[in-house]
Amino acid sequence: PDDQPPPDPSKKTLVVLGTGWGSVSLLKKLDTENYNVVVVSPRNYFLFTPLLPSCTVGTIEHRSIMEPIRNFLRHKKAAVKYYEAEATKIDYEKRVIYINDDSEIKGDVSATEVPFDMLVIGVGAENATFGIPGVTEHGLFLKEVGDAQRIRNRIMDCCETATFKDQSPEEIKRLLHMVVVGGGPTGVEFAGELQDFFNSDLKKWLPEIKDTFKVTLVEALPNVLPMFSKQLIEYTEKTFKEETITIRTKTMVKKVTDKYIEAESAGPDGKKIVEQIPYGLLVWATGNALRPIVKDFINQIPAQKDSRRGLAVNEYLVVKGCENVWAVGDCAVANYAPTAQVASQEGAWLARMFNQMAKTHEIEAELAELSVKQETAPGKDARDVVFADIKDLQKRLRRVKQIGPFEYTHQGSLAYIGSEKAVADIAWWSGNIASGGTLTYLFWRSAYISMCFSTRNRILVCVDWVKSKVFGRDVSRV
Ligand code: FAD
Ligand code: NAD
């Protein structure tokens, strides 16, 4: 039995899946008094992903970029129900979601269903592996807090194992070879952070590794950061060279074993070369893939049969082929890149739309009441008064109903590239400003601080920056 009041039968039940960028920005702006709001997510916090690469080396501690969902939901006008669970299946015909408590502690009930009238899918994406053998078993991803913790521990484990008594020079070289696959922003930012960690801390604490530690970034395309302008790509590649990070472009990883990756590239004569590259740490950052729940949903809806990268949505973010089902963020395909910027704008737009929809219903109900009143009003004067009210309400209704389709405003792309430098392609009036360097890094820091979820997060991140600068990053392995 629930200790909370039962859902209000006069309101529709709005179920929101996920507590990431899309869902949380929706919940932030949503007037929860209009609906019975239910949130389902296995993660009971919001994660500020742009600063996650900094957590892999301890520049920032992970809890500083997490905001408990309970903390934020309790400030909403009307109570919101939250279930820490994974949605395993959406049954569109029956209008129910099947949910599963996947955590360690389970009660008598750990699987049940939640009915919905309206549904927002904001479950994000999984890590793409393209079915390359060995990736899941041996590679580490960088998407969630647990991933960042695993990477942080693995880096230190490699360093400590490399300094183990009687280790052979070959093995030391392998253990200290840090390989990052994927030259998108995740791979680039991580490689930059890792090299920073080595330059400012590891070298000091473990001087014996200083000539062997090496970071290599492997990218299948001809350059890294394809979404940035040419000038910034060149700047990044030049900075990496100065930082002694090796970039291997036009190199496609085809297989992964516990000790080496197998990569294919073209030799100077254009012939295919396959080489085995030994590694100690392998971070796999090759982008997004569909989550199983999204795949399953796509298979249920005939109109989605051609959807490959996510749920196809229309300009109102409605999942094509469905009614009262919307999708936001990385699980939706609306012709925008899968970024936090897009997800949060979509979530905020949807909240505004839901708020307007509730207002529309309210006005329509009032109008229905007034038209009855008008018919029964005694005398012409009374009827005229009601008629004037109806006119006013109709005008209001037209205004409220005027909500245009979702339009994304690109504010620019930002990425940290290590040694206190960042690159930025910022949309400015009708043009673009491309800049890279230390000033851009200061801009990067201030932009991300201002975007943090809460004041609490902002303070914690600033404290972490000062702490790691003054005392160095913590090299303990837990
Ligand atoms: P997410 O934020 O991933 O949230 C998905 C939510 O759904 C999570 O709460 C998850 O627990 C939950 N969930 C998963 N499965 C289920 C299920 N079955 N049932 C219910 N809930 C479920 N973008 C930028 O614009 N700028 C950046 O600087 C930037 N930096 C990034 C750095 C890193 C390291 C990474 C990995 C990504 C970065 N991104 C950045 C991309 C950005 O994080 C994503 O585009 C964004 O998180 C997408 O938001 P979302 O709400 O779709 O998904
Ligand atoms: P991505 O899709 O941007 O890049 C993945 C890269 O991996 C591609 O360049 C691809 O060519 C390469 N690749 C794929 N398979 C490979 C293989 N077998 N061998 C070698 N290379 C291979 O992925 P991401 O960096 O994880 O980013 C995901 C999304 O999140 C993007 O939309 C990105 O814009 C966003 N993001 C943004 C920021 C930021 O703005 N600072 C930071 C992180 C992520």
Side-chain angles (χ1 to χ4, degrees):
D2 242 319
D3 56 356
Q4 297 225 341
D8 182 343
S10 69
K11 294 178 188 171
K12 287 191 171 160
T13 298
L14 167 64
V15 174
V16 179
L17 303 185
T19 45
W21 278 98
S23 304
V24 165
S25 79
L26 160 80
L27 291 164
K28 234 179 173 178
K29 292 239 154 64
L30 183 74
D31 183 347
T32 51
E33 277 194 324
N34 298 325
Y35 304 97
N36 295 312
V37 183
V38 180
V39 180
V40 177
S41 175
R43 207 174 74 186
N44 78 347
Y45 55 88
F46 166 76
L47 177 66
F48 187 76
T49 47
L51 290 176
L52 191 62
S54 300
C55 299
T56 58
V57 293
T59 316
I60 291 174
E61 294 298 333
H62 57 268
R63 285 200 182 262
S64 307
I65 57 165
M66 291 156 66
E67 184 69 22
I69 199 76
R70 302 269 184 194
N71 203 4
F72 137 75
L73 289 182
R74 79 194 160 99
H75 295 298
K76 295 304 293 182
K77 255 207 260 167
V80 173
K81 201 91 196 85
Y82 167 68
Y83 299 119
E84 191 195 77
E86 193 183 329
T88 49
K89 188 179 172 67
I90 301 164
D91 190 328
Y92 179 63
E93 285 298 311
K94 287 197 194 146
R95 301 288 198 274
V96 292
I97 310 287
Y98 295 92
I99 68 168
N100 221 344
D101 174 3
D102 232 5
S103 66
E104 218 170 286
I105 305 292
K106 291 187 176 57
D108 289 340
V109 180
S110 61
T112 185
E113 50 186 70
V114 178
F116 67 85
D117 300 307
M118 296 157 75
L119 172 68
V120 176
I121 310 172
V123 296
E126 277 194 351
N127 295 291
T129 65
F130 307 103
I132 296 170
V135 174
T136 319
E137 295 87 326
H138 309 297
L140 297 181
F141 299 114
L142 179 49
K143 198 164 195 59
E144 299 290 344
V145 164
D147 298 329
Q149 284 174 300
R150 269 185 289 276
I151 293 174
R152 194 171 172 186
N153 276 324
R154 186 76 63 92
I155 298 167
M156 282 325 296
D157 203 357
C158 285
C159 293
E160 298 292 2
T161 308
T163 55
F164 190 74
K165 189 169 177 296
D166 302 334
Q167 206 70 271
S168 73
E170 243 100 282
E171 189 62 349
I172 293 176
K173 207 169 148 203
R174 177 184 75 81
L175 287 163
L176 296 178
H177 190 201
M178 312 279 144
V179 173
V180 185
V181 180
T186 304
V188 165
E189 290 191 324
F190 170 67
E193 290 278 356
L194 182 54
Q195 190 66 31
D196 280 1
F197 181 34
F198 172 68
N199 287 339
S200 23
D201 303 289
L202 283 176
K203 244 190 211 170
K204 248 188 271 166
W205 307 132
L206 291 119
E208 59 270 50
I209 69 166
K210 77 174 194 311
D211 297 323
T212 330
F213 189 92
K214 187 177 161 206
V215 180
T216 301
L217 180 67
V218 183
E219 167 57 52
L221 298 175
N223 55 266
V224 297
L225 295 181
M227 66 289 289
F228 282 84
S229 52
K230 192 165 170 270
Q231 161 200 358
L232 292 180
I233 291 172
E234 279 164 11
Y235 181 76
T236 305
E237 293 183 347
K238 186 178 125 256
T239 307
F240 268 26
K241 215 176 203 170
E242 286 162 11
E243 288 171 14
T244 65
I245 297 172
T246 309
I247 301 186
R248 295 283 311 265
T249 49
K250 297 189 198 160
T251 308
M252 168 90 93
V253 178
K254 293 279 176 132
K255 185 178 151 188
V256 172
T257 73
D258 60 341
K259 293 201 169 144
Y260 63 84
I261 56 168
E262 217 166 79
E264 205 179 278
S265 55
D269 52 359
K271 274 210 188 113
K272 199 168 78 181
I273 304 176
V274 177
E275 52 185 319
Q276 292 182 347
I277 306 173
Y279 71 84
L281 168 84
L282 173 68
V283 171
W284 193 266
T286 62
N288 292 345
L290 295 181
R291 287 204 190 275
I293 186 174
V294 174
K295 251 188 236 169
D296 178 81
F297 193 47
I298 285 175
N299 290 335
Q300 283 179 49
I301 314 292
Q304 295 284 335
K305 73 175 193 321
D306 296 324
S307 304
R308 297 280 171 274
R309 290 180 298 120
L311 290 160
V313 294
N314 69 13
E315 68 275 34
Y316 289 89
L317 306 179
V318 174
V319 175
K320 286 185 183 162
C322 297
E323 238 175 70
N324 291 330
V325 181
W326 293 262
V328 289
D330 286 3
C331 66
V333 178
N335 286 332
Y336 307 115
T339 64
Q341 222 182 123
V342 170
S344 66
Q345 288 186 27
E346 288 177 341
W349 180 87
L350 209 51
R352 270 201 310 277
M353 215 226 352
F354 288 163
N355 295 345
Q356 301 283 62
M357 268 164 64
K359 258 191 222 145
T360 308
H361 288 146
E362 211 177 275
I363 298 173
E364 278 169 351
E366 260 181 73
L367 271 173
E369 243 174 63
L370 279 183
S371 60
V372 174
K373 211 168 150 191
Q374 192 193 18
E375 275 166 27
T376 53
K380 184 176 176 303
D381 286 352
R383 271 201 303 278
D384 282 350
V385 171
V386 182
F387 184 69
D389 287 349
I390 290 179
K391 277 269 170 227
D392 276 354
L393 270 183
Q394 280 173 337
K395 227 196 257 163
R396 245 183 80 200
L397 185 64
R398 270 197 300 276
R399 251 200 333 264
V400 166
K401 271 190 162 173
Q402 257 174 14
I403 179 154
F406 170 73
E407 266 174 47
Y408 169 63
T409 322
H410 185 61
Q411 274 148 8
S413 305
L414 263 176
Y416 180 60
I417 57 170
S419 62
E420 306 201 336
K421 288 178 183 150
V423 285
D425 260 326
I426 304 294
W428 190 259
W429 297 108
S430 52
N432 228 40
I433 295 183
S435 79
T438 307
L439 267 182
T440 316
Y441 164 69
L442 294 176
F443 173 70
W444 174 85
R445 276 201 162 183
S446 50
Y448 281 179
I449 273 294
S450 73
M451 279 186 253
C452 272
F453 187 86
S454 61
T455 310
R456 181 183 143 271
N457 284 154
R458 273 179 213 117
I459 294 169
L460 292 177
V461 168
C462 288
V463 169
D464 286 347
W465 275 336
V466 174
K467 236 168 49 183
S468 55
K469 190 86 191 164
V470 176
F471 301 113
R473 296 168 183 83
D474 190 334
V475 295
S476 359
R477 192 168 76 81
V478 285

